[in-house]
Amino acid sequence: MLLDMDLGVLLPSLIPSLQSVYVLVFYFVYLAVAGEILPGKVIRGVLLSDGSQPRYRCNGLLALTLLVAILGICAKIGIVSPLVVADRGLELLSATFIFCVLVTLALYVTGRNSSDKSSSLKPHVSGNLVHDWWFGIQLNPQFMSIDLKFFFVRAGMMGWLLINLSILAKSVQNGSLSQSMILYQIFCALYILDYFVHEEYMTSTWDIIAERLGFMLVFGDLLWIPFTFSIQGWWLLHNKVELTIPAIVANCLVFVIGYMVFRGANKQKHIFKKNPKTPIWGKPPVVVGGKLLASGYWGIARHCNYLGDLMLALSFSLPCGVSSPVPYFYPIYLLILLIWRERRDEVRCAEKYKEIWAEYLRLVPWRILPYVY
Ligand code: NDP
């Protein structure tokens, strides 16, 4: 879409209108209220060094379902246009960017002025303004008792679905709804819903437990996830792709196998951490040094969960065919990110587990894709 526009059209469409600001404000207020009042399982986060343990109410699935229902009803009775995001995508993107800058400057100032000594709010200041603004100063800053880190990641994942739904409405309206668009929409919707079904797993991820809240994380959550992960949808609005039946079947297989590997691997590790004796695929698990799981997906490759995620990312792009590299932005980005992450993670694990890790490397020689990498 961007490539088709000349600068004279592009620049004005990047200036946020009052309406795009209203959309963002409504969205954040809804998420704040829904996150606080809707019921949901309360999960304790990791134990911090001062002995405190953040709590997260995992009601994202209910909040998302209710939001989609409210927007659906409002669209039906004509209060809200389902095209509002698809028509104002660039404005919303720039409004979100401005919000990210403002909110992270506020986080920087409040972080610097904090004298709190708790692990969550203790300031980590390097003294370099850009560094501290980019990586953040506090681990778990809050606003009106809302954990902002958990809030922003939720807003980003839900935003991705809302953008997709608006793109879907636009394609129905302009008569361009295709098999490719339907496949793309179904795969992404299932992935996002699955994320919220398993929202509690998020509370033990690296971003939540270790990263401080600065521009990098806020930008990644609020802008990068919803706006770049939906590039395929925007692309399909403007490009027609004819898919053969074998191509559709192959695409569905990539999605299903990717999902089984991604969810299966993450679940096996989650269960193993809770109870290392739980059988894996019906057999007692192979455990290295009492700490590392070496059976199931974790006996096939050391980062099988990344393999599943990469297959899923590929399945979101395959409906776009192979005529352009643009819809492959997400899988290419994810490949680079996960290889970089896996390398850093292995260094950390080698230091943490020492000879146990070396033994695990002997048992499971492949990093992500057996016999290839
Ligand atoms: P992992 O869930 O793979 O966690 C890595 C950690 O797991 C290690 O540091 C170690 O931690 C533990 N571990 C590693 N091997 C074993 C083993 N054999 N047995 C037991 N424990 C082990 O990594 P991430 O948090 O990076 O990723 C989680 C999910 O999120 C993945 O599926 C990934 O694909 C996805 N993801 C998606 C992104 C996206 O943009 N779509 C971005 C990043 C991640 P410990 O010290 O606790 O033992």
Side-chain angles (χ1 to χ4, degrees):
M1 180 180 58
L2 282 173
L3 299 175
D4 294 341
M5 283 185 168
D6 67 39
L7 228 53
V9 180
L10 179 65
L11 290 180
S13 54
L14 275 168
I15 299 169
S17 65
L18 212 52
Q19 200 179 357
S20 57
V21 176
Y22 289 153
V23 170
L24 274 191
V25 171
F26 165 80
Y27 184 48
F28 290 138
V29 169
Y30 170 81
L31 286 184
V33 174
E36 286 303 293
I37 64 172
L38 293 179
K41 198 164 153 190
V42 177
I43 298 292
R44 284 169 178 270
V46 290
L47 198 62
L48 299 176
S49 52
D50 63 355
S52 64
Q53 219 172 353
R55 286 160 183 257
Y56 303 96
R57 188 180 299 175
C58 296
N59 55 7
L61 187 63
L62 185 57
L64 177 61
T65 314
L66 192 63
L67 177 60
V68 172
I70 292 171
L71 291 176
I73 293 168
C74 290
K76 189 93 187 140
I77 56 179
I79 302 176
V80 167
S81 163
L83 308 179
V84 67
V85 183
D87 285 342
R88 295 179 179 272
L90 290 174
E91 269 181 44
L92 279 167
L93 183 140
S94 55
T96 309
F97 180 77
I98 294 168
F99 176 80
C100 290
V101 173
L102 293 179
V103 85
T104 49
L105 285 176
L107 284 170
Y108 173 83
V109 174
T110 45
R112 280 216 65 138
N113 293 331
S114 166
S115 53
D116 202 305
K117 292 278 173 272
S118 68
S119 300
S120 281
L121 298 175
K122 188 175 161 198
H124 294 258
V125 184
S126 75
N128 179 326
L129 187 148
V130 176
H131 178 279
D132 292 339
W133 167 72
W134 181 269
F135 289 106
I137 290 185
Q138 292 173 315
L139 186 62
N140 299 313
Q142 299 194 343
F143 178 69
M144 295 170 76
S145 82
I146 295 167
D147 182 289
L148 289 176
K149 211 195 282 181
F150 195 59
F151 178 84
F152 288 144
V153 71
R154 177 181 275 193
M157 289 301 286
M158 287 190 194
W160 179 15
L161 183 70
L162 296 180
I163 289 177
N164 277 356
L165 291 178
S166 189
I167 290 173
L168 178 66
K170 182 84 183 170
S171 74
V172 171
Q173 189 225 30
N174 67 16
S176 69
L177 183 63
S178 60
Q179 287 172 333
S180 300
M181 179 65 91
I182 294 171
L183 279 186
Y184 166 75
Q185 291 284 344
I186 292 175
F187 294 155
C188 289
L190 288 175
Y191 182 81
I192 296 165
L193 289 176
D194 176 78
Y195 171 90
F196 284 109
V197 168
H198 298 96
E199 195 178 20
E200 69 177 272
Y201 291 2
M202 187 62 207
T203 61
S204 59
T205 58
W206 175 257
D207 287 353
I208 292 284
I209 63 181
E211 293 281 16
R212 294 191 294 279
L213 191 62
F215 184 78
M216 185 180 77
L217 218 56
V218 176
F219 176 86
D221 288 343
L222 291 185
L223 199 141
W224 190 260
I225 291 178
F227 289 96
T228 68
F229 292 12
S230 56
I231 284 177
Q232 300 92 318
W234 297 108
W235 189 87
L236 283 170
L237 267 184
H238 300 269
N239 297 275
K240 199 159 175 52
V241 182
E242 293 294 340
L243 292 177
T244 61
I245 298 292
I248 294 175
V249 172
N251 199 167
C252 290
L253 275 179
V254 175
F255 176 80
V256 171
I257 297 171
Y259 177 77
M260 283 164 56
V261 175
F262 167 77
R263 185 48 67 213
N266 283 324
K267 207 166 192 169
Q268 282 179 352
K269 179 160 72 81
H270 188 76
I271 291 169
F272 172 77
K273 294 276 182 193
K274 281 193 166 172
N275 177 9
K277 293 200 173 112
T278 313
I280 301 284
W281 289 341
K283 292 188 194 145
V286 178
V287 181
V288 188
K291 302 237 167 85
L292 293 170
L293 176 63
S295 53
Y297 290 109
W298 298 86
I300 296 172
R302 300 196 295 277
H303 300 273
C304 234
N305 50 348
Y306 290 180
L307 174 64
D309 214 357
L310 287 167
M311 289 179 75
L312 286 170
L314 185 64
S315 77
F316 303 158
S317 298
L318 287 174
C320 303
V322 288
S323 64
S324 165
V326 174
Y328 287 83
F329 177 84
Y330 176 49
I332 293 168
Y333 145 78
L334 195 65
L335 180 67
I336 297 167
L337 175 93
L338 291 182
I339 288 180
W340 180 54
R341 200 179 254 240
E342 163 265 312
R343 294 268 162 174
R344 286 190 305 157
D345 190 52
E346 295 235 341
V347 170
R348 195 186 78 86
C349 288
E351 277 167 17
K352 179 175 174 184
Y353 291 113
K354 301 196 167 58
E355 64 284 352
I356 301 179
W357 187 256
E359 174 61 16
Y360 182 47
L361 293 192
R362 271 191 292 280
L363 277 177
V364 186
W366 302 106
R367 291 171 182 271
I368 294 180
L369 183 60
Y371 304 105
V372 177
Y373 178 72

